[in-house]
Amino acid sequence: MPIERIEVYLDGGAEPVQVLTQPPFKVTYDTRSLSDGEHLLRVVTYYTNGAQEVKEVPFKVANTPGVLLQGLEEGKEVSGTLDVTLRVADPDVKPGRERFPGLGAAIATAVILGGIWLFFAATGVTNKTLEEVAKPPAAAEAGAHGGDHGGAVAAVDEALKAKGEQVYSANCAGCHQPTGKGLPGVFPALDGSKNVADKAYTINILLKGKGGMPSFARLSDEELAAVATYIKNSWSNKFGGVTPDEFKAAR
C-alpha cells in the first residue's frame, strides 16, 4: 500500500524528530545528543487510505567511555592503604576476565541493541510487513515449479494484463516499486517471487491481505484478476493468467 509519510519520535516527544515522505525511508540521528541509558524510538507510518501503523523499539545509548577501576572489586574487604587506579577510556587497560566477567557480554549486548535500532530507524518497518510473503516452505517450493503447483501455465489475457498495469500503478507500485523489485528489508520483491508463482496464494493475499499487506477486496473481480495477471507475467515472471471468475469463486 502506498505510504503517505513516516514520522519518527524519540522518548515520548510530541513532535517528530524526522518526517519521511519519499523512499528510501532512512533516518539519520546523532545519538551523542542523547544521554546514555535507555531510550525509545517510535515510528508511525501513515498510509494513503487513512490507515496507520505504530512500531516502538527500545534501545540503549552508550557513547561515554566509562570508567574502569583497578585494585578494588565490589564487596572486597580492605584494610590499611587503599590503592585504586581509575582508567577512563585508556587503551592500555587490559583487565583480566576475573576482574570484569560481564564486560564482554555488555559490549555484545550494546552492539546488538545498536544494530536493532539502526535497522528500524533506517527502514521504519515492522515485522508484520516482512511477514507479507512468509509461508510454509513446502507451499513455497510447490509454487516454484511451472507457476501453480507444477501444473500447466494458464493462458494470459493481454488486454486484462494491460489493465492490470494501471491497477498496479495506482495501488501497488508505491510499495513494490514499478520495477517489481520492492524495497529490500521493507517491501518484498514481486519479480521472481515464488509466492507470486502460486496462483492460489496470490488470489488469497489480494483478497484477504497478510501482515503489513492490506486486503484489496474493495476492487472488482476484473480489477483483481487484471493486477494478478500483470504481476504474474511482468518483469521476469511468466506464471500465467488469472480470471475474474477465479476471484469471484474465492470471495
Side-chain angles (χ1 to χ4, degrees), residues 43 54 57 59 61 73 80-81 88 127 144 161 175-176 184 222 231 249:
V43 178
V54 179
V57 182
F59 65 98
V61 172
E73 299 176 10
T81 301
V88 181
N127 288 335
K161 178 184 173 183
C175 294
H176 298 289
E222 183 178 4
I231 65 176

Side-chain angles (χ1 to χ4, degrees), residues 67-74 85 87 93-107:
V67 179
L68 299 181
L69 279 69
Q70 288 185 315
L72 181 65
E73 299 176 10
E74 183 177 350
T85 301
R87 303 280 191 173
V93 176
K94 295 180 175 62
R97 285 180 174 273
E98 67 280 359
R99 289 181 178 272
F100 302 97
L103 183 58
I107 293 174

Side-chain angles (χ1 to χ4, degrees), residues 203-218:
I203 292 174
N204 184 69
I205 198 170
L206 283 171
L207 285 174
K208 300 179 181 179
K210 182 177 182 180
M213 169 78 173
S215 165
F216 286 94
R218 58 183 173 78

Side-chain angles (χ1 to χ4, degrees), residues 153-214:
V153 175
V156 176
D157 184 329
E158 293 298 333
L160 194 64
K161 178 184 173 183
K163 180 176 181 178
E165 183 175 9
Q166 299 175 4
V167 179
Y168 181 85
S169 297
N171 297 276
C172 313
C175 294
H176 298 289
Q177 304 300 295
T179 61
K181 299 297 185 183
L183 293 175
V186 185
F187 300 110
L190 301 179
D191 183 18
S193 169
K194 292 181 180 180
N195 291 341
V196 174
D198 187 331
K199 181 188 291 187
Y201 183 82
T202 302
I203 292 174
N204 184 69
I205 198 170
L206 283 171
L207 285 174
K208 300 179 181 179
K210 182 177 182 180
M213 169 78 173

